[in-house]
Amino acid sequence: MRIDLHTHSTASDGTEPPADLVVAARAAGLDVVALTDHDTTAGWGPAAAALPAGLTLVAGVELSCVTATAREQPIPLHVLGYLFDPRHEDFLAERRRLRESRVSRARLMVDRLAAAGLPVGWDRVHEQAAGGTVGRPHIGRVLVEAGVVRSVEEAFSRYLHSGSPYYVAKAETEVTAAVRLIRTAGGVPVFAHPLARRRGRVVTDEVIAEMAAAGLAGLEVDHPDHDEADRAHLRGLAAELGLLVTGSSDYHGANKAIRLGAYRTEPAVYEALVAQASGAHPIAA
Ligand code: AMP
Ligand code: ZN
Ligand code: FE
Ligand code: FE
């Protein structure tokens, strides 16, 4: 069984519609794919409706989180939630709050870039997002279109990274609250790319232990942003804390170079995750 538990569609900052993504996942030889768009479940329905024979869909989300403000400097981080009840009211309201904040934040970033003379406007960024959750990759694509940079990756390293003068923070859920909220909605929380250092500062083992105490199920260890040393460290920590170890591509279509299924999760881990879920079931065609 080939299992990839982290992908993005045009419901957030991927480049394929959810219906195309599931077809591409099967064509890439996957048996199970999780759709984990940022702060939204909008892709679940279209992905389920288009499921090709032989593919199982795990509906999920990648929630924008932050460490507690009591810490010296809050650190943004991502938590994957799988198979929760999408109608759970508190969780629904929280996802809406995060998405609304992303819009005002993206507008501010566009204003700052435009004020510096760069050819970007909100209308084009809004069009790029195509009704999905807006994010920095959409601003990046507009900079590519305008010929300012050659790739979204280059747009990040030059203009969009978190240390950039054009960067604006967005609303985020305190991470232990996020873990509890996902569990309350019947879902299974997994810490996405815990040591993705190129995105900025990463959390200490102590924060991961606090997340585990709040109900975290697993750590995403095999991920394109982790080197061998990171993976070894995270495997040790997962064993110590009794957490599952997942692997995923974090596929974003043309916005990143990584291919579907480039990193995968062991079938036994997948079975263990599904066994913990009570909000939704995996869907098979
Ligand atoms: P945002 O959610 O708007 O803060 O944008 C962050 C998202 O941009 C991440 O979830 C990644 O999908 C993507 N991203 C972060 N860093 C890079 C990068 N260097 N190149 C391409 N995409 C990136
Ligand atoms: Zn993304
Ligand atoms: Fe992420
Ligand atoms: Fe992601």
Side-chain angles (χ1 to χ4, degrees):
M1 279 227 290
R2 290 166 61 88
I3 302 160
D4 186 341
L5 292 182
H6 183 164
T7 69
H8 296 266
S9 73
T10 52
S12 66
D13 54 10
T15 57
E16 284 145 306
D20 295 0
L21 180 79
V22 289
V23 171
R26 189 60 187 144
L30 292 176
D31 301 291
V32 178
V33 70
L35 178 65
T36 52
D37 279 304
H38 297 285
D39 308 323
T40 187
T41 62
W44 290 16
L51 260 194
L55 185 70
T56 296
L57 174 69
V58 173
V61 74
E62 183 173 19
L63 203 66
S64 305
C65 299
V66 68
T67 52
T69 45
R71 293 185 183 278
E72 331 65 83
Q73 208 188 332
I75 298 173
L77 66 169
H78 291 166
V79 175
L80 296 160
Y82 298 112
L83 302 172
F84 55 89
D85 175 1
R87 293 154 309 186
H88 182 280
E89 287 206 13
D90 291 349
F91 195 12
L92 194 61
E94 183 61 359
R95 292 194 300 276
R96 186 178 303 116
R97 182 181 79 93
L98 301 184
R99 291 197 305 273
E100 285 172 0
S101 161
R102 281 170 165 281
V103 174
S104 42
R105 173 271 201 139
R107 295 185 77 123
L108 276 171
M109 284 189 67
V110 166
D111 289 349
R112 288 189 183 184
L113 290 160
L118 288 156
V120 318
W122 169 248
D123 287 355
R124 198 60 206 111
V125 172
H126 184 66
E127 273 169 41
Q128 272 292 346
T133 303
V134 70
R136 285 178 284 164
H138 299 116
I139 305 175
R141 292 200 74 79
V142 173
L143 290 168
V144 172
E145 266 181 7
V148 175
V149 290
R150 267 164 313 186
S151 66
V152 174
E153 304 264 353
E154 187 186 344
F156 265 86
S157 57
R158 286 178 61 186
Y159 302 108
L160 305 175
H161 63 91
S162 59
S164 155
Y166 310 107
Y167 179 78
V168 177
K170 61 187 189 303
E172 288 153 332
T173 311
E174 191 280 309
V175 68
T176 56
V179 166
R180 286 190 299 268
L181 193 52
I182 292 165
R183 286 285 190 190
T184 304
V188 185
V190 170
F191 188 1
H193 47 71
L195 297 178
R197 271 178 260 277
R198 65 183 190 114
R199 304 172 189 226
R201 294 172 61 234
V202 297
V203 300
T204 58
D205 292 355
E206 187 194 353
V207 171
I208 299 180
E210 286 168 18
M211 291 167 71
L216 190 71
L219 299 179
E220 187 181 59
V221 173
D222 291 311
H223 182 280
D225 288 0
H226 291 158
D227 62 22
E228 275 312 319
D230 293 333
R231 291 173 203 201
H233 177 76
L234 289 170
R235 270 182 226 287
L237 192 61
E240 203 178 295
L241 296 171
L243 298 172
L244 298 168
V245 164
T246 70
S248 354
S249 64
D250 200 355
Y251 179 75
H252 277 73
N255 281 343
K256 285 191 185 173
I258 201 80
R259 286 167 295 107
L260 276 163
Y263 296 95
R264 297 181 302 277
T265 296
E266 291 299 325
V269 171
Y270 166 64
E271 300 295 342
L273 283 177
V274 171
Q276 290 185 28
S278 60
H281 294 289
I283 302 164

